[in-house]
Amino acid sequence: SSGINAEWPLRPGEKIKLPENIDKDIEIEIRKTSGTKPALFTPNIVFSNLASKIISIFQFPVKISIKVSSEIVTDIITTTGRDVLSSYPNLKREVHQIATNLLHTK
């Protein structure tokens, strides 16, 4: 492990909270685009702005989750290579190379 707890803003089991006033934010964004007259269709920019806000809330936790998952998979590959594939050096090398390439592909 790489000291994730120091970076992680949530405790284990704690849920990510969306802003309590998200419904009000949607209403305000819609009114900004349509003015005083109600619009039949809501412009895409309203949903893009709101989606950007929500994505920013989840961005850091998702990055940390991916980092932790990658570390777990790397540990599994290392352990498997050491314990199970030690009798097959060519297979061990190939598995390690393929797994490493896949883990580092963005």
Side-chain angles (χ1 to χ4, degrees):
S1 292
S2 61
I4 297 299
N5 292 338
E7 304 171 31
W8 189 253
L10 301 172
R11 285 182 232 110
E14 186 177 355
K15 294 181 180 179
I16 297 171
K17 296 176 185 163
L18 291 175
E20 291 180 16
N21 55 352
I22 193 77
D23 293 335
K24 191 69 172 170
D25 288 348
I26 293 171
E27 183 180 333
I28 289 169
E29 289 291 331
I30 291 171
R31 286 183 190 225
K32 281 183 189 176
T33 59
S34 64
T36 56
K37 298 183 277 180
L40 183 58
F41 299 103
T42 304
N44 287 341
I45 191 72
V46 171
F47 296 105
S48 294
N49 290 341
L50 292 169
S52 294
K53 288 179 186 178
I54 293 171
I55 288 169
S56 69
I57 293 169
F58 287 96
Q59 192 170 16
F60 182 74
V62 167
K63 284 182 180 181
I64 294 297
S65 297
I66 291 169
K67 182 177 178 181
V68 170
S69 298
S70 176
E71 289 174 1
I72 291 168
V73 170
T74 301
D75 289 346
I76 291 169
I77 292 167
T78 302
T79 303
T80 303
R82 183 184 63 235
D83 299 343
V84 178
L85 298 176
S86 60
S87 300
Y88 310 98
N90 291 337
L91 180 59
K92 177 182 172 181
R93 186 176 55 254
E94 288 295 319
V95 168
H96 187 268
Q97 182 180 0
I98 291 169
T100 302
N101 288 341
L102 286 173
L103 285 172
H104 291 100
T105 303
K106 292 187 178 191

